[in-house]
Amino acid sequence: MTSLLARLDSHDRAAFQALCLAHDAAWNSRALWTTITHAGGATCTILLILLPLLFAHGAWHAAAVSGAWILALSHAVVQVAKRSATRPRPSVREGLVGHVASPDAFSFPSGHACAAMSVGLAYAVAFPAWGTPAVALAIIVGFSRVRLGVHYPGDVLAGQAIAVLTALGVWAWQ
């Protein structure tokens, strides 16, 4: 089992090296990826849930209620997993400087990827015509975390998987 985990970690680190922006990447590339990554941050994801929760009715309000549950529960799972796995950020492990500040010391799983997918799924189910763009944006937010050097690809996939599993649980319960 240790050998399998070591191989997975090696592949994850190699993929990170291939996908991360170079230290001297153009400012406009860094600015684009930084803007995208903020869509998965706490301010944006909470506002996307809180505003319709407080001010909307009908399908918007119902989607916000579902999204609030998915976001809160998945965030709790992410925080427990981060403190259990204690995987160092790529900036520490790979000796690189991330292009954005890290919200905490631990890399696995990605909270930004989880939050973006949580909100994206809530609105995708409520408004199917927007489903593909909402989920695509969530996937791109996750990818931005790798591009900016603050997460490994496996961290992002795990965060997104936590959001999907949490959403399925919330929808089964509702």
Side-chain angles (χ1 to χ4, degrees):
M1 185 61 147
T2 303
S3 174
L4 173 64
L5 291 176
R7 283 196 316 256
L8 287 173
D9 182 58
S10 174
H11 289 299
D12 205 22
R13 293 173 74 182
F16 169 81
Q17 291 289 342
L19 297 171
C20 181
L21 285 174
H23 178 69
D24 59 352
W27 72 268
N28 55 347
S29 181
R30 288 192 318 267
L32 172 67
W33 288 109
T34 299
T35 301
I36 291 169
T37 212
H38 287 310
T43 301
C44 189
T45 55
I46 291 170
L47 282 175
L48 284 170
I49 295 299
L50 191 58
L51 292 175
L53 192 63
L54 295 175
F55 301 112
H57 303 286
W60 281 99
H61 187 269
V65 169
S66 179
W69 280 108
I70 298 166
L71 187 60
L73 293 172
S74 66
H75 181 71
V77 172
V78 163
Q79 292 307 311
V80 168
K82 276 183 180 281
R83 273 109 189 111
S84 298
T86 65
R87 184 182 199 185
R89 294 272 179 180
S91 58
V92 172
R93 228 169 145 201
E94 308 298 326
L96 303 172
V97 176
H99 294 283
V100 292
S102 299
D104 59 35
F106 305 122
S107 184
F108 181 87
S110 170
H112 277 70
C114 182
M117 188 60 73
S118 295
V119 174
L121 288 171
Y123 288 115
V125 167
F127 305 103
W130 296 355
T132 299
V135 172
L137 178 59
I139 290 169
I140 293 167
V141 166
F143 183 67
S144 75
R145 303 303 287 167
V146 178
R147 289 294 284 166
L148 293 169
V150 292
H151 280 291
Y152 294 100
D155 304 336
V156 169
L157 293 174
Q160 291 169 338
I162 289 168
V164 169
L165 293 173
T166 303
L168 292 172
V170 166
W171 295 328
W173 176 69
Q174 288 181 328

